[in-house]
Every structure is written in C-alpha cells, then in structure tokens.
Amino acid sequence: MSKRLFVGNLSFEVNEEELRTAFTPYGVSEIVIPTSHGGQPKGFGFVEVETDQAQAAISAMDGKELHGRAIAVSEARPKTEGTRGGYSDSGGGSRGGGGRGGSGGGRGGRW
C-alpha cells in the first residue's frame, strides 16, 4: 500500500527522475510534477511512497535542499470542494496552493 506526499517549493529545474531518485529510499511508486498549459512546472509535485515509509520520508526530506531550494514535504490531502484536480497541499500558511485572490471581473461560474 502507498501514501501520497505533497512536495512544495520545487525549483522549476527539478524533473520527475530527480525527485524519484531523492525519494528512492522510501519505496517510490509514482511521481507527478504538474505543469501549466505551456509546459512550465508549477513548483510542486506529488510522490507516492510505501505507507510504512511515509513518515520517515516526510521527516528526512522536509527542508532538504534540491536545486538550491528547501523543499516542503507533507502528507497530501484529497482536494476539497472548490479546488481543481485530485489532491491539494496539506500545508496552509505560506506554502502555497489555494485559491485565486484579488478582485475579479464580473464573470460568473468557474473562472
């Protein structure tokens, strides 16, 4: 069985193979780094690791430097109402994720 982890603050230069290598000691089964419509990485990813290794992976990798940036690792949570996709970051605070702020135009519906 596996557990999905959120990996935030990724450098745009980090690719799936590098992330897989970094998390290999924890039984990686899947890596996903979402990209924008233009193909630019979004600066976060998801790593699926063995359930019994998830806490060890979080403890060891949270704050670890990868391409000059300290990554943020936490357990991923399923997306809640009003979010897109299948998972969200579990951070809160300054870790990113979240909605679209600011004053929007008068368009109703979704964006």
Side-chain angles (χ1 to χ4, degrees):
M1 190 150 218
S2 62
K3 187 163 273 198
R4 195 165 199 151
L5 304 179
F6 171 81
V7 183
N9 200 37
L10 283 178
S11 165
F12 294 135
E13 288 125 26
V14 173
N15 62 40
E16 289 181 6
E17 191 55 40
E18 290 171 308
L19 206 51
R20 179 178 302 281
T21 299
F23 281 85
T24 291
Y26 310 102
V28 176
S29 60
E30 184 179 359
I31 302 281
V32 175
I33 299 176
T35 57
S36 67
H37 293 303
Q40 175 76 11
K42 291 186 173 184
F44 66 90
F46 296 98
V47 178
E48 236 174 75
V49 298
E50 294 296 323
T51 300
D52 62 346
Q53 293 293 310
Q55 193 54 52
I58 291 168
S59 296
M61 299 301 291
D62 188 44
K64 182 172 180 158
E65 195 169 299
L66 204 56
H67 278 271
R69 296 182 80 169
I71 61 173
V73 182
S74 59
E75 190 173 331
R77 298 181 304 186
K79 285 286 195 172
T80 56
E81 185 65 31
T83 57
R84 297 171 59 179
Y87 284 85
S88 70
D89 74 280
S90 59
S94 64
R95 242 202 283 219
R100 299 169 63 92
S103 58
R107 289 176 28 190
R110 286 180 66 131
W111 312 355

